Amino acid sequence: MRRRCSSLPKDAPAVELVDMTVSPEPLDPSVERLARLKGDRCKAKIAADRLKSLTDLIDEEDLAAEAQVFRAISDPFRLSVLKLLRDGELCVCEIMTALDRPQSSTSHHLSILKRAGLVKERKEGKWSRYRLADGAVIEMMKLAEILRLG
Amino acid sequence: MRRRCSSLPKDAPAVELVDMTVSPEPLDPSVERLARLKGDRCKAKIAADRLKSLTDLIDEEDLAAEAQVFRAISDPFRLSVLKLLRDGELCVCEIMTALDRPQSSTSHHLSILKRAGLVKERKEGKWSRYRLADGAVIEMMKLAEILRLG
DNA sequence: CTTATATATCGAAATGATTCGATATGACTG
DNA sequence: CAGTCATATCGAATCATTTCGATATATAAG
């Protein structure tokens, strides 16, 4: 007699297990790969279910939003802007002067940082003053330094 | 008589201050911008010096390396790979199955994560098993979630 | 109202990233 | 050694980003 996965109830109805040792319904093609990988279809099913439950926890929308946060910091110039802002609020003019970049470039990058929620803007007359949006930004930079070394 | 910045010693030698109120040597053109910005050349000099000391602290090489770390996480697919790996080691085959992507793509993205120091690889026969390189990776993802909400 | 200054946005060229099929490498299997 | 399976790398098409000059907007000063 064929064995079934131990996670299934022992007294489950004896449905026709023609060639499917694990479950009555045919396995997903991608799970078949894992079945061959594991050598054991029971283990394959368990592994596949585990992977599926993990991927189900990942929300597409959150994923895109969080990736955008990282993308915003992933440019060397924008990272240096964030490092400058650790020391306090600065206007566009000061940032472009300190980092020696054209005004349009500086403004563009600041808009990307703002859209990602990394900096906040405060309008004061004809000046736009930017500051870090959250202490979490500083923490992220610290962690990147740690990863860089380790 | 022209005034000089209060941060300079009162008894400094009376060098020729033809039109330069602050320092004998001509100011950098970019600092001139700040001078007009501040309205006061003394304040401009101080602000410019502060900005310069801040930018001097930023090392070009570190900057590029840290930006690369963020760039590696900045792709939605790679971020979802990292989220999967929070739960433990996985081989390429499992990852491509779980996230439903071609093998070449999966492998390519894993190499990017590895190069950035975010994951580590362990070869075992014909399998390559990947795991998170450091707890700091998980911390980074948590911070991104915080920034996303705040 | 005109001018000057600070910032934002546009547009187009240059550059870089992503994607995936095809192919290569490298290890286990018969 | 031939075949199979897991992974890596290549190549080319597509797509996104970066860059900077030119232009637009908006505020302050004369």
Side-chain angles (χ1 to χ4, degrees):
Chain A
M1 177 197 170
R2 296 181 188 280
R3 305 237 324 279
R4 49 172 64 236
C5 286
S6 56
S7 60
L8 289 179
K10 293 290 187 294
D11 54 353
V15 286
E16 46 288 335
L17 296 176
V18 195
D19 201 71
M20 307 303 297
T21 318
V22 172
S23 59
E25 79 278 6
L27 290 175
D28 192 75
S30 63
V31 177
E32 296 287 348
R33 290 189 57 84
L34 285 180
R36 288 198 302 278
L37 186 70
K38 299 277 174 181
D40 178 342
R41 302 197 68 169
C42 289
K43 286 183 183 169
K45 184 75 171 67
I46 293 169
D49 286 347
R50 174 170 154 264
L51 285 175
K52 185 157 183 13
S53 71
L54 284 177
T55 47
D56 285 347
L57 286 178
I58 300 175
D59 180 75
E60 279 299 325
E61 206 167 329
D62 291 348
L63 202 64
E66 288 168 32
Q68 196 196 22
V69 169
F70 290 113
R71 172 145 307 194
I73 323 182
S74 75
D75 179 86
F77 176 64
R78 289 196 292 266
L79 181 54
S80 62
V81 168
L82 293 177
K83 288 187 182 228
L84 270 187
L85 292 178
R86 280 181 303 192
D87 227 61
E89 204 177 48
L90 291 174
C91 68
V92 182
C93 180
E94 289 170 310
I95 296 169
M96 63 180 276
T97 298
L99 298 176
D100 195 27
R101 282 270 186 140
Q103 183 271 326
S104 65
S105 228
T106 307
S107 182
H108 174 234
H109 283 295
L110 282 166
S111 78
I112 291 174
L113 289 172
K114 195 173 99 177
R115 188 151 14 98
L118 293 166
V119 304
K120 284 203 190 309
E121 187 191 10
R122 185 171 66 89
K123 296 249 184 197
E124 187 179 333
K126 57 183 169 183
W127 286 280
S128 290
R129 302 189 186 280
Y130 288 87
R131 63 184 187 279
L132 296 184
D134 195 298
V137 180
I138 294 179
E139 294 307 311
M140 289 243 273
M141 291 191 274
K142 284 183 188 167
L143 287 173
E145 288 171 22
I146 290 174
L147 278 167
R148 168 82 185 114
L149 303 175
Chain B
M1 176 195 170
R2 296 181 186 280
R3 303 233 330 277
R4 47 173 66 238
C5 287
S6 56
S7 60
L8 288 179
K10 293 290 188 292
D11 55 348
V15 286
E16 46 287 336
L17 296 175
V18 194
D19 201 71
M20 308 302 297
T21 318
V22 172
S23 59
E25 79 277 6
L27 290 174
D28 192 76
S30 63
V31 177
E32 296 289 348
R33 287 189 59 85
L34 285 180
R36 288 197 303 276
L37 186 69
K38 299 278 175 182
D40 176 342
R41 302 196 70 168
C42 289
K43 286 183 182 168
K45 183 77 171 68
I46 293 168
D49 286 347
R50 174 170 154 263
L51 285 174
K52 185 155 182 17
S53 71
L54 284 176
T55 48
D56 285 348
L57 287 178
I58 300 176
D59 181 75
E60 279 298 325
E61 206 168 329
D62 291 348
L63 202 65
E66 288 167 32
Q68 196 196 23
V69 169
F70 289 113
R71 172 145 305 191
I73 324 182
S74 74
D75 179 86
F77 176 64
R78 290 196 292 266
L79 181 54
S80 62
V81 169
L82 294 177
K83 288 189 181 225
L84 271 187
L85 293 178
R86 280 182 302 192
D87 226 61
E89 203 178 48
L90 291 174
C91 68
V92 181
C93 181
E94 290 171 308
I95 296 168
M96 62 181 276
T97 298
L99 298 177
D100 193 28
R101 282 271 186 137
Q103 183 272 323
S104 65
S105 228
T106 307
S107 181
H108 174 234
H109 284 296
L110 282 166
S111 78
I112 290 174
L113 288 172
K114 194 173 98 176
R115 189 150 13 98
L118 293 166
V119 304
K120 284 202 189 310
E121 188 190 10
R122 184 171 65 88
K123 296 249 185 197
E124 187 180 332
K126 56 184 170 183
W127 286 280
S128 291
R129 302 190 187 278
Y130 287 87
R131 65 182 187 282
L132 295 184
D134 195 299
V137 179
I138 294 179
E139 294 307 311
M140 290 245 271
M141 290 191 274
K142 283 182 189 168
L143 288 173
E145 287 170 25
I146 290 174
L147 278 167
R148 167 82 187 116
L149 304 173

